[in-house]
Amino acid sequence: KRALFDKIIRGRHTFSTLYNVKSDDNNHPTQEEDEVSFESMSEEEIQTTSTSSLPPPQKKRRNGKKISVTKPVETLEQSSSPDPRKAPRRIWKHEDINEFNVPDSVFEAPDAVKTPLQYFKTLFTDEMIQHISNHTNLYSAQELGDPINSPMQEPRRFYKIRPLFEMLRKQCLQIPSTHKHSEDEVMVAYKGTRAGTLRQYIANKPDKWGFKLFCRASSSGIIHDLLLYQGASTFFNVPLTEEEQMLPLGAKVVTTLSKTITEPQLSVVFCDDYFTSFDLIQNLHTNLGVKCIDTVRPNRMGGATLITDKELVKKGCGAFNFSSAEGVLAVKWFDNKCVNLLSNARGIMSTKNVSNDGVKRPTPAKSRRWYFPLFGYILDLCIANAWLVHKRDCALLNEKPLSLKRFCLAVAHSLMQVNKLVSKVGRPSSSSPPQNLGQLPLHSDNRGRCSLCPKGVSRWKCQKCKVFLCLNAHQQCFVAYHQK
């Protein structure tokens, strides 16, 4: 006990020396006082005092000199604090889970197949065109120096292109979807430096530099929802609960995109390992009723008890191992390399044949203005979604759909004819001859593309208009062209 008391006194002296505490010689206890104070202390007080005393200072060598370094009291208390509460331990069993049969989607057949322009206008609406026109005129007036009070720029990023994305997203959400959804990221290529920190870099992507978006697509390939990534302020206009705000980025993205699913109780979501975790699958099923089949990284599997990669590789290609806990199935499968999956929708035999496709749709575009590639992506997305809806309607009516190339040409040709003024040359006369005079078909040795239908090729040419027009038993473009 005497040796323990001396150690306590030595620790107090070291503390006063390190922290420049002024000591008073008159306050030092004498040997008699030490003995009295020591004898008056109980064993419990001695143990408490010895555990709270500072350890001897550690000595470090710097430039050949020994320097005593001692941690403050707060640091020692923090280091001796117990570890944070661990997550509840799950019991994993080598059992399969119940199968969830995704119902087939049923769509209402339209009365007739619309024109390509009508499908395109359902996504790229007149409201978007009016918005572009208003801001173009506003910019032109500002360049000319007119005193126009321009709207204050929003304190968030993507303010130049976000209104168009919001209008497009509103139209995409109205398209009926299937019950199988894929959520992933899309890169819009951009190598310029005018976008600041909005431009992202991902090394393992075909387009390493560009803007990043998160999209949700159905099994038909149609994109129904999207979200622009802009760093910490990505979810500034998204209503989230306190629990959802504490989620990591990947889980927060999947939760936000899954909220707009029309029938979540009948739907299954597919994601890659960038988003997936065991807690995310449980939260989606508990809060939204959505089931998931996702690839996952080994450290996010919730402690699943599976064999190691080396043991699985020894079994050969096609080998797999699985276990389940709390209704979630964990699978490790070996093909070219080991792949980990989590599922609460399919059993072990169905999970081996899962694919995640339908979201990748980059649009190459070069421009000095950073928002032009994003505008090009809007046009490309409108064309792709409109064509996929056209194919669905043709399948419901048992008609042959147009190819994507023909569909794009038809939309472009129709847009060129909108609000096109007829050129009038010469002085008007009261006794002018009929306008269709001299419009006779002439057979030509060369073939030319029809000026009315985008897929027609004809040898008949108008003598007056100098344009090729279809003239046969199936196509009467010559008559229709001159009756406009």
Side-chain angles (χ1 to χ4, degrees):
K1 291 182 179 180
R2 181 67 187 181
L4 182 59
F5 186 79
D6 293 338
K7 188 183 293 184
I8 296 172
I9 299 301
R10 229 184 289 120
R12 292 176 179 175
H13 178 69
T14 305
F15 181 84
S16 61
T17 304
L18 290 173
Y19 291 92
N20 298 325
V21 178
K22 293 183 180 181
S23 59
D24 190 0
D25 296 337
N26 299 326
N27 294 333
H28 285 293
T30 60
Q31 184 175 0
E32 297 178 355
E33 293 175 352
D34 291 346
E35 294 177 357
V36 174
S37 61
F38 179 77
E39 292 175 357
S40 62
M41 293 173 63
S42 62
E43 292 184 0
E44 296 180 357
E45 293 176 350
I46 294 173
Q47 293 177 0
T48 306
T49 310
S50 62
T51 54
S52 62
S53 61
L54 291 172
Q58 300 177 358
K59 296 183 178 180
K60 293 186 179 181
R61 189 176 295 275
R62 182 183 299 173
N63 297 330
K65 298 180 180 180
K66 292 184 179 180
I67 303 175
S68 61
V69 179
T70 305
K71 294 182 179 180
V73 179
E74 297 178 358
T75 307
L76 293 175
E77 292 178 355
Q78 293 174 2
S79 62
S80 62
S81 60
D83 295 334
R85 185 174 55 184
K86 296 182 179 179
R89 187 175 180 180
R90 302 180 180 92
I91 300 176
W92 292 87
K93 299 180 181 180
H94 190 72
E95 297 177 355
D96 202 355
I97 62 173
N98 297 328
E99 190 85 8
F100 174 72
N101 295 321
V102 182
D104 296 332
S105 302
V106 179
F107 301 102
E108 184 179 356
D111 298 334
V113 178
K114 302 177 183 178
T115 62
L117 180 62
Q118 290 175 337
Y119 283 110
F120 178 78
K121 295 291 286 185
T122 57
L123 294 168
F124 201 88
T125 59
D126 293 334
E127 181 184 3
M128 300 173 67
I129 297 176
Q130 186 65 32
H131 177 82
I132 296 172
S133 176
N134 292 339
H135 282 266
T136 303
N137 296 334
L138 178 63
Y139 177 77
S140 176
Q142 290 175 346
E143 289 294 317
L144 295 175
D146 293 346
I148 296 180
N149 295 327
S150 61
M152 183 179 61
Q153 294 182 358
E154 302 173 4
R156 55 183 181 263
R157 310 159 89 181
F158 286 117
Y159 65 91
K160 291 186 177 181
I161 200 71
R162 180 177 294 278
L164 295 179
F165 271 98
E166 293 297 333
M167 297 176 191
L168 175 61
R169 177 177 176 269
K170 180 180 177 181
Q171 298 302 123
C172 291
L173 288 174
Q174 297 178 4
I175 303 176
S177 65
T178 60
H179 298 302
K180 297 179 182 179
H181 304 268
S182 174
E183 298 179 5
D184 206 347
E185 58 185 6
V186 177
M187 288 293 291
V188 180
Y190 177 71
K191 293 185 178 180
T193 58
R194 296 176 179 268
T197 56
L198 293 176
R199 186 186 62 162
Q200 303 293 318
Y201 176 79
I202 302 179
N204 58 350
K205 294 291 184 179
D207 299 320
K208 295 178 174 56
W209 290 98
F211 304 102
K212 184 162 67 173
L213 295 85
F214 298 106
C215 299
R216 175 176 62 84
S218 60
S219 57
S220 58
I222 301 174
I223 291 181
H224 298 273
D225 198 1
L226 46 88
L227 179 66
L228 286 168
Y229 175 73
Q230 56 180 25
S233 58
T234 301
F235 303 93
F236 74 95
N237 61 342
V238 178
L240 297 174
T241 62
E242 294 182 359
E243 181 182 357
E244 293 171 350
Q245 290 177 358
M246 301 302 295
L247 296 174
L249 174 64
K252 200 181 298 184
V253 168
V254 175
T255 304
T256 302
L257 296 177
S258 301
K259 285 183 177 180
T260 55
I261 298 177
T262 53
E263 297 177 339
Q265 305 292 338
L266 305 176
S267 302
V268 177
V269 172
F270 300 85
C271 302
D272 60 10
D273 58 358
Y274 178 79
F275 306 92
T276 312
S277 65
F278 188 92
D279 296 334
L280 172 64
I281 293 180
Q282 285 192 324
N283 291 337
L284 287 179
H285 183 61
T286 303
N287 300 330
L288 302 179
V290 179
K291 296 183 179 295
C292 300
I293 304 177
D294 309 327
T295 58
V296 64
R297 298 176 184 177
N299 59 344
R300 300 181 185 174
M301 298 185 69
T305 55
L306 301 174
I307 62 177
T308 61
D309 293 353
K310 291 184 179 180
E311 295 175 353
L312 193 63
V313 170
K314 291 180 181 179
K315 294 184 178 181
C317 183
F320 63 92
N321 183 242
F322 66 95
S323 61
S324 62
E326 301 178 8
V328 180
L329 179 69
V331 183
K332 180 180 287 188
W333 177 60
F334 174 68
D335 185 13
N336 296 327
K337 63 178 182 179
C338 292
V339 180
N340 301 303
L341 297 100
L342 288 178
S343 170
N344 60 353
R346 294 297 183 95
I348 181 62
M349 301 308 297
S350 302
T351 310
K352 294 167 59 181
N353 301 318
V354 171
S355 62
N356 180 15
D357 298 322
V359 174
K360 309 297 182 182
R361 194 175 297 157
T363 303
K366 294 182 179 180
S367 174
R368 293 185 61 188
R369 299 182 180 180
W370 63 268
Y371 50 85
F372 269 20
L374 291 171
F375 180 73
Y377 179 77
I378 290 176
L379 294 177
D380 182 73
L381 181 59
C382 292
I383 287 289
N385 277 4
W387 177 66
L388 291 171
V389 175
H390 164 75
K391 285 182 60 180
R392 178 193 292 176
D393 291 347
C394 290
L396 294 173
L397 297 176
N398 296 325
E399 296 185 12
K400 184 179 179 181
L402 295 175
S403 63
L404 180 59
K405 180 180 178 180
R406 295 290 186 186
F407 189 88
C408 293
L409 291 175
V411 172
H413 178 78
S414 300
L415 291 175
M416 291 172 60
Q417 302 299 325
V418 174
N419 297 330
K420 187 176 181 180
L421 299 177
V422 180
S423 59
K424 297 181 179 180
V425 181
R427 182 179 300 174
S429 175
S430 59
S431 60
S432 58
Q435 295 183 359
N436 57 356
L437 183 63
Q439 295 175 345
L440 302 176
L442 295 178
H443 191 271
S444 176
D445 296 335
N446 300 325
R447 293 189 304 173
R449 190 170 299 279
C450 179
S451 297
L452 186 63
C453 59
K455 62 179 181 179
V457 179
S458 175
R459 294 182 181 273
W460 292 98
K461 189 176 183 180
C462 180
Q463 180 181 8
K464 182 179 180 180
C465 303
K466 304 298 182 183
V467 293
F468 287 94
L469 296 166
C470 296
L471 185 60
N472 50 51
H474 302 285
Q475 297 286 342
Q476 295 291 333
C477 296
F478 188 90
V479 179
Y481 181 83
H482 292 96
Q483 288 180 352
K484 288 185 178 181

